[in-house]
Amino acid sequence: MPILILGIDIISEHPKRFAVVSWFNGKLERKGEFTLYRLIRFIQSKRPDIVAMDSVTELGDDLRKFLRALPNETKLVQVTGRPGEQRSLWSLAKEHGIRAGDKFDPYEEAKVCALLAARGVGYEVLAFEDEVVIKVTRGRSHGKGGWSQDRYRKRVHNLVRDKVREIEDRLKRADVPFDLEVEEKDYGLAKGEFKVYASREELAGLIRPMRGGDVEVRIYPVERAEMGFAPLKSERAIKERRSIIVGIDPGITVGIAAIDLSGNIVALHSERNMPVGEVFRFISDVGHPVMVATDVNPAPGFVEKIARSFKAQLFVPRESLRVEEKNELLRNLGVSVEDDHQRDALAAAYKAYLRLKPKLDHVEAKLREAGLTKRADEVKALVIQGYNLGEAMQRVTLRERPKREEEKPEEKPSVDLGPYLRRIRELEKRIELLERENEELRGIIREQRKTIGRFERRLVDYDEEVRKKILRERELEAKVKRIERLERELREAKAIIERLSRDLAQVKRMNVIEIRGSAVPLKVMEVLSWRELERLEREIGIRKGDVLFVINPAGAGKAIAESLVEKKIRALITEKPLPLAVVEVLKEAHVPFFTSQELDVKRVDEFAVVERETLEKAIGELLAKWAEEDRERETEKFLRLIEEYRIERVKELMRKAEDESKSH
């Protein structure tokens, strides 16, 4: 796969400036000079696979900041090796056949760093544990006082609770181990904090950060107390460090055992609640593992993670080791252990060694024949890593040659060192003077920081007084506005009470009339429409013989009039004239209809009554009038039928007379 590597080297300390060279698919390109801020922005935009340096100490106090700013997939690599085991950049370049120009040119050093990293040389700097903290909190301030703020606060706490449950469910379904602490409030949660035992890469796509809403989700990787260093290629670590076989027993108490390639125990340890980073550091201090072993099948994820970190082979027995078998292995070793965890780890490591022993013995025999017994462990480790014996021996012998060339004694130059020594003494005096001056300036800075702190505290006190004064003024203003609003509401309430009192008096009078039986209650509709008719049926009901009162019948049609006829209402009273289509239907069905002016309807809001005597009289008169009109129509119809019959009879007689005359 084509990868992008950035080689960087420092140009100046104050301010920090770096030379940057990129390596992509075999092509080198000088990118220019960058400040630390611009370098971080450039890395975040390009997202390289590796950022290579000869020494990460060049970043100084900004190292942690730099590592936190790197994209998840970008590795920071120190090409010269682990701290305390570092080699010269130029000797590494010579060993790997890299031509170097001016050794004092930062761009040349950056180029060499990029080329070495491209060959798999160097150690990745590990700043973070395989642990992540996920914090779920509210996203905004609730504000102060009032029912609306209380409701909003409870709503937000419920949202926080729901988000915590969602994340908890996702982690459980993904089988990711975690611990959870919550703070309960308002039958919800004020916050939730997860401690997840997985790396940032493992959580990618599973949990996403959220900002800017009612709920915030923030993800923080857990930083290591001390930097870790893992080789880019285990082959490199094999050459530089002691090769070991490591057995691990994971759990609440972690057991670790390490043996060398001759079967000798070099480390045995167990510790409760030991994080992954501590396990990694403990093993790194002992040596470089070429194989990581477990005593159970299948291998636990914890053991697989350690093996991947060291680029080591993973040993898993064909079936989980029994307790009797583990005890037998320890008896063969002739050692005693402190607890079962150390026993399980040592049994796993020794079982892996026994599996490899025939191959290792064969390698050692061949190396004795070739006279390479001094580099036996390195060759054995390469064979374990997958190289065949010939390839491993060739790589070791090739590495020996540059060393021997470097070990040749150099001829002493015949140069007068006096001026250089005098210059060195002058510079040492100048350094001593600058150090004293630096210490004095640091003292001044400390005093100024104390003064600034004192003024900042006074400013905070002053700000608090101003804030309290502003709050008092705001509270007073809010109270004045509240009083004005309440007075306005009081006036409106008095007006409503006065109107309702008048209506109540009218209703009482209407009730008296109704109780005496001298009035008929009317069922009131605002408009003559289907919706209003359904409302009236739902709330009060329409029964046979009811009298309806419609305020505005405009727009009503034939269908709704036919529906009223089907309901067999006794009469319909309206404030405005009825549409012609409704009139025709009601008149044909002999359902009386009147206007409120004709019957003197008394109405208060949704109540209306009409005097019974007046209503009965009007209905009787209207029905009598319609009956008379019906009789007149029937008479006219009868006379019209007689006339039609007479005309038809005359026509028929005339046809007969014509027929008879034609026959004679």
Side-chain angles (χ1 to χ4, degrees):
M1 280 181 64
I3 63 171
L4 174 61
I5 298 174
L6 296 183
I8 65 175
D9 188 57
I10 193 161
I11 296 175
S12 64
E13 281 286 348
H14 302 291
K16 275 191 170 67
R17 304 186 73 82
F18 298 87
V20 179
V21 173
S22 72
W23 182 93
F24 180 74
N25 208 19
K27 182 180 177 182
L28 286 166
E29 183 182 351
R30 181 183 289 201
K31 291 296 182 182
E33 187 176 316
F34 290 79
T35 62
L36 180 63
Y37 173 75
R38 282 191 62 233
L39 177 60
I40 290 172
R41 293 293 299 273
F42 181 72
I43 292 170
Q44 289 174 342
S45 65
K46 297 298 181 184
R47 307 183 81 82
D49 298 272
I50 292 174
V51 175
M53 302 181 70
D54 64 335
S55 176
V56 294
T57 56
E58 291 176 350
L59 291 166
D61 295 337
D62 296 314
L63 175 57
R64 292 275 183 182
K65 172 185 173 183
F66 184 80
L67 284 163
R68 281 193 291 268
L70 289 180
N72 288 346
E73 66 273 16
T74 300
K75 299 176 181 178
L76 177 62
V77 173
Q78 183 167 282
V79 295
T80 53
R82 286 162 46 94
E85 302 174 4
Q86 290 174 260
R87 292 180 55 193
S88 162
L89 181 68
W90 307 111
S91 67
L92 285 169
K94 187 175 181 182
E95 180 181 320
H96 289 274
I98 298 171
R99 292 183 181 181
D102 183 1
K103 295 182 179 180
F104 298 101
D105 181 3
Y107 286 100
E108 195 66 24
E109 290 197 23
K111 180 193 81 172
V112 172
C113 289
L115 289 172
L116 286 170
R119 287 163 168 76
V121 177
Y123 280 72
E124 179 188 354
V125 182
L126 304 176
F128 302 101
E129 302 281 8
D130 280 345
E131 294 178 13
V132 172
V133 174
I134 303 173
K135 291 185 178 179
V136 184
T137 58
R138 61 180 172 83
R140 299 188 180 98
S141 174
H142 301 313
K144 291 190 175 182
W147 287 99
S148 59
Q149 282 89 347
D150 289 343
R151 287 196 300 272
Y152 175 66
R153 186 184 66 248
K154 291 175 182 177
R155 174 177 170 273
V156 170
H157 289 158
N158 286 333
L159 291 174
V160 171
R161 179 198 61 204
D162 294 343
K163 179 55 70 173
V164 167
R165 287 177 178 173
E166 178 189 335
I167 294 173
E168 184 179 12
D169 183 56
R170 286 189 178 187
L171 292 173
K172 285 179 178 177
R173 279 191 279 110
D175 200 22
V176 177
F178 66 91
D179 289 323
L180 172 61
E181 291 184 5
V182 297
E183 180 183 327
E184 296 183 0
K185 204 162 191 179
D186 296 328
Y187 303 102
L189 296 179
K191 68 175 182 179
E193 184 171 319
F194 293 85
K195 190 173 185 182
V196 184
Y197 303 104
S199 64
R200 290 182 295 177
E201 292 78 7
E202 290 175 282
L203 289 181
L206 185 64
I207 309 296
R208 288 187 174 88
M210 289 173 52
R211 291 191 182 183
D214 291 328
V215 179
E216 284 194 349
V217 178
R218 295 176 182 258
I219 301 176
Y220 304 93
V222 177
E223 292 190 7
R224 294 172 180 245
E226 296 179 7
M227 296 289 181
F229 290 84
L232 275 183
K233 283 190 176 179
S234 58
E235 177 188 333
R236 179 78 192 163
I238 286 168
K239 176 188 172 186
E240 297 177 348
R241 313 186 65 231
R242 173 170 57 181
S243 297
I244 55 175
I245 298 171
V246 175
I248 297 178
D249 177 47
I252 297 174
T253 301
V254 179
I256 306 172
I259 61 177
D260 62 19
L261 301 186
S262 299
N264 301 313
I265 299 172
V266 294
L268 199 57
H269 180 71
S270 60
E271 186 176 326
R272 188 177 177 83
N273 296 326
M274 194 174 187
V276 178
E278 287 297 324
V279 174
F280 186 91
R281 279 193 287 275
F282 179 87
I283 296 171
S284 294
D285 290 340
V286 176
H288 176 73
V290 292
M291 180 170 281
V292 176
T294 178
D295 63 329
V296 295
N297 188 335
F302 185 91
V303 178
E304 290 181 348
K305 186 175 293 186
I306 294 295
R308 284 198 306 271
S309 298
F310 285 105
K311 317 290 190 297
Q313 299 290 318
L314 178 65
F315 171 79
V316 183
R318 293 186 180 87
E319 58 183 22
S320 299
L321 301 181
R322 300 185 304 276
V323 175
E324 298 81 5
E325 189 175 356
K326 295 175 190 177
N327 292 333
E328 180 64 26
L329 288 170
L330 264 62
R331 277 195 294 273
N332 293 339
L333 279 169
V335 295
S336 58
V337 293
E338 296 178 5
D339 51 46
D340 292 345
H341 307 286
Q342 291 185 8
R343 177 202 66 194
D344 293 348
L346 184 55
Y350 193 59
K351 183 72 174 179
Y353 169 76
L354 291 177
R355 179 76 61 82
L356 293 171
K357 192 172 186 305
K359 184 186 288 187
L360 297 178
D361 291 343
H362 174 71
V363 170
E364 195 161 358
K366 291 293 183 181
L367 290 176
R368 277 197 298 270
E369 293 176 9
L372 287 173
T373 52
K374 290 183 179 179
R375 308 301 298 274
D377 278 359
E378 189 175 343
V379 176
K380 289 177 183 178
L382 290 173
V383 169
I384 293 171
Q385 289 290 301
Y387 292 96
N388 62 44
L389 181 57
E391 289 174 337
M393 291 173 66
Q394 187 178 8
R395 284 178 175 272
V396 171
T397 53
L398 284 174
R399 289 176 189 157
E400 284 292 319
R401 289 172 190 168
K403 274 194 173 180
R404 288 168 186 164
E405 289 175 7
E406 288 175 10
E407 288 169 3
K408 289 180 181 178
E410 297 180 0
E411 295 181 3
K412 293 183 180 179
S414 56
V415 179
D416 183 11
L417 299 178
Y420 296 102
L421 293 173
R422 285 194 296 274
R423 179 61 177 160
I424 289 170
R425 282 194 292 272
E426 289 173 6
L427 291 173
E428 286 176 345
K429 287 180 182 178
R430 182 166 177 77
I431 289 170
E432 187 179 350
L433 179 64
L434 289 172
E435 285 178 346
R436 285 200 301 271
E437 184 179 348
N438 189 26
E439 187 58 36
E440 291 174 3
L441 291 173
R442 286 179 184 275
I444 294 170
I445 289 171
R446 283 194 293 271
E447 290 298 324
Q448 288 179 342
R449 284 177 176 167
K450 289 179 182 177
T451 305
I452 290 169
R454 189 166 60 253
F455 282 120
E456 284 178 345
R457 287 192 295 274
R458 288 175 60 184
L459 183 61
V460 169
D461 294 339
Y462 176 73
D463 286 345
E464 184 64 21
E465 291 177 5
V466 172
R467 190 180 69 82
K468 288 179 179 178
K469 183 178 179 182
I470 292 171
L471 286 175
R472 283 196 298 271
E473 290 175 354
R474 287 181 179 174
E475 287 175 3
L476 181 61
E477 184 181 353
K479 288 178 180 177
V480 170
K481 289 182 178 178
R482 181 176 174 79
I483 290 168
E484 292 175 353
R485 180 172 58 80
L486 291 173
E487 288 177 345
R488 185 169 61 253
E489 291 176 358
L490 180 61
R491 288 193 298 271
E492 292 172 356
K494 285 181 177 178
I496 293 170
I497 290 169
E498 186 177 349
R499 178 174 61 80
L500 291 176
S501 298
R502 290 195 301 270
D503 292 346
L504 181 61
Q506 181 69 6
V507 169
K508 286 179 178 178
R509 286 194 296 272
M510 290 167 60
N511 285 340
V512 170
I513 293 169
E514 188 175 353
I515 290 168
R516 290 174 180 173
S518 60
V520 176
L522 308 180
K523 294 185 176 180
V524 181
M525 296 171 64
E526 289 292 329
V527 293
L528 188 54
S529 66
W530 291 107
R531 182 179 295 178
E532 187 71 5
L533 192 63
E534 289 172 0
R535 179 196 65 78
L536 188 64
E537 283 188 314
R538 185 175 60 254
E539 294 180 359
I540 303 174
I542 300 176
R543 294 183 296 276
K544 179 181 177 182
D546 281 346
V547 181
L548 303 186
F549 178 66
V550 179
I551 297 168
N552 184 11
K558 185 177 179 181
I560 197 167
E562 291 173 347
S563 177
L564 293 177
V565 171
E566 289 176 1
K567 296 180 186 299
K568 298 182 179 180
I569 63 172
R570 188 177 183 197
L572 177 66
I573 304 172
T574 60
E575 279 197 357
K576 296 180 181 180
L578 280 167
L580 185 60
V582 178
V583 168
E584 290 176 352
V585 172
L586 295 180
K587 190 173 181 180
E588 184 179 350
H590 286 196
V591 175
F593 54 88
F594 309 96
T595 62
S596 57
Q597 293 81 7
E598 290 176 310
L599 299 181
D600 189 23
V601 174
K602 294 180 176 57
R603 177 170 173 264
V604 177
D605 291 338
E606 297 179 0
F607 303 98
V609 295
V610 64
E611 290 185 4
R612 184 179 298 278
E613 185 179 347
T614 303
L615 178 64
E616 295 291 346
K617 181 181 179 182
I619 290 173
E621 290 176 352
L622 186 58
L623 290 176
K625 179 183 175 183
W626 285 349
E628 182 63 28
E629 289 176 355
D630 289 344
R631 282 192 298 274
E632 289 176 359
R633 279 194 299 275
E634 287 294 327
T635 303
E636 288 177 1
K637 184 178 179 182
F638 181 71
L639 292 174
R640 192 165 50 251
L641 287 172
I642 293 172
E643 181 65 21
E644 288 174 357
Y645 175 75
R646 187 184 65 77
I647 292 169
E648 287 295 325
R649 183 64 178 161
V650 169
K651 287 180 180 179
E652 185 180 352
L653 291 173
M654 287 176 70
R655 279 195 303 271
K656 285 182 178 182
E658 287 176 1
D659 292 340
E660 288 176 1
S661 64
K662 286 178 182 179
S663 63
H664 290 294

